[in-house]
C-alpha cells in the first residue's frame, strides 16, 4: 500500500514532536555516593509506579555478584523533580539492593561464580574488595527537568515490560566455550535429532535444541545416582553440569575417552526412538511443530536407560504412549519437581522393559 504524502508528513511531525519530550545526558555515580544520597532522601523512589516490581533474594544476590565480578550494569534512569530531589525512574530494586548490602542486611547465597563468597555479608569481604565495591561507577541516564511525569512513567513501563529476558540456554550458550559445550552445540545439528525433536524457528533462535540436548545428558549422566544435587532448579543444575563437564574435557585423555561414548549414547537413543516412535518422534502429535520438554525428557532418558539395561530391546507395543497415566506424568504442572521427573522417566523405562521383567 502506497502512503500519501500527507500521511507521511503527519508521521514526521508526530515523531519530531514526541522526540522533543525526552532530553537527557549521562552521568556516573560511585555506589558510595548513590547510597549516601538515597539514605539522605536526596534520591527517591516514586512508589506509585515501582511498587509492583519486587526482587527476590536470589535476584539481589545475583546483582551484587555481577558488581563484584566487574560486569557492566544496565543503565539506571534518574530525573529531576519539582522539589529539587532526584527521582529514580528506573533502578529502584538495584538501588535498594546496594543499600541493603552495604548496611549488612543482605547475606550472599546461591552465587554460582563467586561461590566462595556464599554466606558473606558486606562486612565479611576483604577491605580491598569493600573499597572497590563502593567506588564502582553506576552509569545513569539523567532525564532533563522538563521531562513530564507521563513520559517518565512511559519510560519505566517500556523498560520493564518490553523485550524478553534471556533464557538459561541463551546465557549458557553465550558464556560457555569448552569442548563439552561445543559438543552439545554439534548435537543440535544432528539431522535425526532435528527430525524427531523439532523446534519452532522462534524457540530455536533461543537455543531450545541446546536445552533439550543438555537435559538429556545431564539427567542421564546422574539419574542412576539419584540426581543428588538436583533441587528442582533446572537452570542452576544445567549450568553446574555443563561447567563441570567443560572442566573435565579440558583433559585430553578424558576428552578422548568420553567424546565417542557420549556421541554413541545420543545417536543410539535417537535410532531407537526413530524405530519405536516413528515419524511422530518426541512430539505430542504427528503434526506438532514443537517438542514439549517434559515429554522429551521422559522418552529420551527412559529409552536410554532401557537400552542400557537391554541392548537388544524390541518392545512389542507402544499403546501406553496415549495412556492417561503417561499423559498426566508429562503435563507441565510442577514438571521440574524431582519426584515427577523420576516418575515420568521410570514410567517410560518400565513400559519398554515390561516384557523382559
Amino acid at each position: 500500500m502506497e502512503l500519501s504524502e500527507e500521511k507521511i508528513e503527519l508521521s514526521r511531525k508526530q515523531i519530531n514532536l514526541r522526540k522533543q519530550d525526552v532530553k537527557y545526558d549521562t552521568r556516573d555515580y560511585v555506589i558510595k555516593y548513590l547510597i549516601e544520597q538515597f539514605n539522605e532522601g536526596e534520591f527517591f523512589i516514586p512508589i506509585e509506579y515501582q511498587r509492583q516490581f519486587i526482587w527476590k533474594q536470589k535476584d539481589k544476590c545475583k546483582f551484587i555478584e555481577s558488581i563484584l565480578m566487574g560486569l557492566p550494569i544496565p543503565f539506571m534512569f534518574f530525573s529531576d523533580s519539582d522539589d529539587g530531589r532526584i527521582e529514580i525512574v528506573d533502578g529502584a530494586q538495584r538501588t535498594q539492593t546496594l543499600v541493603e548490602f552495604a548496611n549488612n542486611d543482605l547475606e550472599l547465597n546461591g552465587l554460582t561464580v563467586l561461590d566462595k563468597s556464599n554466606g558473606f555479608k558486606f562486612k565479611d569481604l576483604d577491605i580491598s574488595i569493600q573499597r572497590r565495591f563502593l567506588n564502582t561507577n553506576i552509569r545513569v541516564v539523567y532525564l532533563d527537568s522538563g521531562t513530564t511525569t507521563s513520559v517518565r512513567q512511559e519510560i519505566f513501563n517500556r523498560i520493564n515490560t518490553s523485550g524478553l529476558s534471556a533464557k538459561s540456554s541463551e546465557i549458557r550458550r553465550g558464556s560457555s566455550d569448552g569442548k563439552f559445550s561445543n559438543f552439545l552445540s554439534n548435537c543440535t545439528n544432528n539431522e535425526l535429532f532435528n527430525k524427531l525433536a523439532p523446534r519452532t524457528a522462534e524457540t530455536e533462535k533461543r537455543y531450545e535444541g541446546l536445552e533439550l540436548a543438555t537435559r538429556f545428558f545431564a539427567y542421564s549422566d546422574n539419574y542412576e545416582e539419584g540426581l543428588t544435587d538436583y533441587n528442582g532448579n533446572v537452570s542452576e543444575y544445567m549450568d553446574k553440569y555443563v561447567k563441570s563437564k567443560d572442566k573435565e574435557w579440558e583433559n585430553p585423555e578424558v576428552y578422548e575417552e568420553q567424546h565417542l561414548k557420549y556421541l554413541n549414547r545420543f545417536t543410539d537413543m535417537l535410532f531407537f526412538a526413530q524405530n519405536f516412535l516413528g515419524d511422530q518422534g518426541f512430539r505430542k502429535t504427528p503434526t506438532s511443530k514443537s517438542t514439549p520438554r517434559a515429554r522429551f525428557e521422559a522418552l529420551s532418558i527412559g529409552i536410554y536407560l532401557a537400552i542400557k539395561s537391554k541392548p537388544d530391546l524390541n518392545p512389542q507395543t507402544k499403546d501406553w504412549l496415549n495412556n492417561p497415566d503417561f499423559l498426566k506424568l508429562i503435563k507441565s504442572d510442577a514438571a521440574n519437581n524431582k519426584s515427577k521427573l523420576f516418575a515420568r522417566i521410570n514410567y517410560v523405562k518400565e513400559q519398554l522393559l515390561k516384557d523382559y521383567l
Side-chain angles (χ1 to χ4, degrees):
M1 181 181 68
E2 189 173 342
L3 299 175
S4 67
E5 290 188 9
E6 180 183 4
K7 195 169 185 67
I8 293 171
E9 178 62 15
L10 287 173
S11 169
R12 183 190 68 80
K13 286 182 177 179
Q14 184 184 50
I15 290 171
N16 287 340
L17 179 64
R18 294 310 301 267
K19 190 174 181 180
Q20 294 171 11
D21 288 346
V22 183
K23 294 183 175 63
Y24 66 89
D25 60 20
T26 56
R27 303 181 184 182
D28 287 326
Y29 293 127
V30 295
I31 288 176
K32 183 177 181 181
Y33 177 75
L34 195 157
I35 291 172
E36 289 172 349
Q37 293 296 95
F38 182 81
N39 285 336
E40 291 173 9
E42 294 301 312
F43 291 174
F44 76 100
I45 298 167
I47 301 296
E48 63 271 14
Y49 63 83
Q50 298 232 26
R51 60 188 172 198
Q52 68 269 41
F53 295 93
I54 305 299
W55 275 6
K56 296 179 180 178
Q57 187 79 359
K58 65 178 182 179
D59 300 316
K60 297 176 183 180
C61 292
K62 285 290 184 185
F63 175 59
I64 297 298
E65 183 181 40
S66 296
I67 293 176
L68 292 172
M69 290 172 62
L71 298 178
I73 305 303
F75 282 75
M76 293 188 189
F77 283 72
F78 287 11
S79 177
D80 277 326
S81 64
D82 293 338
D83 63 7
R85 294 183 301 156
I86 294 176
E87 176 183 309
I88 301 174
V89 177
D90 182 73
Q93 305 304 318
R94 282 170 281 175
T95 302
Q96 290 173 314
T97 298
L98 293 172
V99 172
E100 188 177 346
F101 185 58
N103 288 343
N104 297 304
D105 294 326
L106 174 64
E107 181 179 295
L108 300 177
N109 280 297
L111 305 189
T112 55
V113 178
L114 303 180
D115 55 352
K116 297 293 187 291
S117 297
N118 280 325
F120 278 51
K121 293 185 177 181
F122 180 72
K123 62 182 175 61
D124 301 316
L125 295 171
D126 182 84
I127 189 64
S128 64
I129 303 298
Q130 293 183 30
R131 287 171 178 151
R132 278 202 292 271
F133 178 86
L134 292 174
N135 286 308
T136 298
N137 275 325
I138 299 292
R139 180 147 288 190
V140 170
V141 173
Y142 198 90
L143 302 174
D144 186 85
S145 58
T147 306
T148 64
T149 300
S150 62
V151 170
R152 295 200 298 271
Q153 184 157 357
E154 178 70 13
I155 289 170
F156 174 79
N157 289 336
R158 285 177 180 267
I159 290 169
N160 286 284
T161 60
S162 63
L164 294 171
S165 59
K167 288 189 174 183
S168 58
S169 51
E170 295 177 280
I171 296 169
R172 201 177 303 124
R173 178 67 180 83
S175 61
S176 302
D177 61 355
K179 288 183 178 179
F180 186 73
S181 294
N182 292 334
F183 167 76
L184 289 174
S185 293
N186 289 335
C187 286
T188 66
N189 296 322
N190 183 296
E191 290 185 12
L192 186 54
F193 173 61
N194 292 332
K195 175 186 175 183
L196 297 175
R199 288 84 64 193
T200 65
E202 193 60 33
T203 59
E204 194 55 12
K205 285 179 183 177
R206 309 195 77 189
Y207 302 106
E208 179 65 12
L210 184 64
E211 181 70 20
L212 296 179
T214 305
R215 291 185 181 212
F216 170 73
F217 285 107
Y219 291 148
S220 61
D221 248 1
N222 301 297
Y223 193 79
E224 291 174 316
E225 286 71 39
L227 300 176
T228 51
D229 295 329
Y230 182 75
N231 61 5
N233 186 327
V234 179
S235 298
E236 181 180 293
Y237 188 78
M238 297 301 152
D239 288 344
K240 287 181 178 178
Y241 172 75
V242 172
K243 287 176 183 176
S244 173
K245 295 304 296 183
D246 273 337
K247 189 173 181 63
E248 278 186 44
W249 283 26
E250 286 176 1
N251 184 320
E253 293 182 3
V254 173
Y255 173 75
E256 287 298 323
E257 176 192 345
Q258 292 193 5
H259 178 263
L260 185 59
K261 174 183 168 185
Y262 277 62
L263 180 59
N264 287 339
R265 182 196 307 181
F266 192 58
T267 54
D268 288 349
M269 178 275 293
L270 290 174
F271 285 132
F272 184 93
Q274 181 183 41
N275 292 328
F276 180 68
L277 300 173
D279 291 339
Q280 181 172 332
F282 300 105
R283 293 178 291 179
K284 189 175 181 180
T285 69
T287 58
S288 298
K289 295 181 179 180
S290 60
T291 304
R293 290 178 177 180
R295 187 180 182 92
F296 175 80
E297 291 167 355
L299 290 171
S300 65
I301 300 162
I303 286 171
Y304 161 72
L305 294 171
I307 59 178
K308 181 181 178 183
S309 173
K310 187 73 176 174
D312 58 348
L313 180 65
N314 184 26
Q316 299 303 304
T317 179
K318 57 181 179 180
D319 293 344
W320 54 268
L321 286 168
N322 296 315
N323 189 304
D325 291 339
F326 178 59
L327 298 179
K328 184 178 179 181
L329 287 170
I330 57 175
K331 279 189 173 181
S332 59
D333 296 344
N336 296 326
N337 177 282
K338 188 172 182 177
S339 63
K340 291 198 174 186
L341 175 63
F342 270 86
R344 61 177 175 267
I345 293 173
N346 276 333
Y347 183 90
V348 173
K349 176 186 174 183
E350 290 168 4
Q351 291 297 321
L352 291 170
L353 291 172
K354 67 179 181 180
D355 293 333
Y356 301 88
L357 299 175

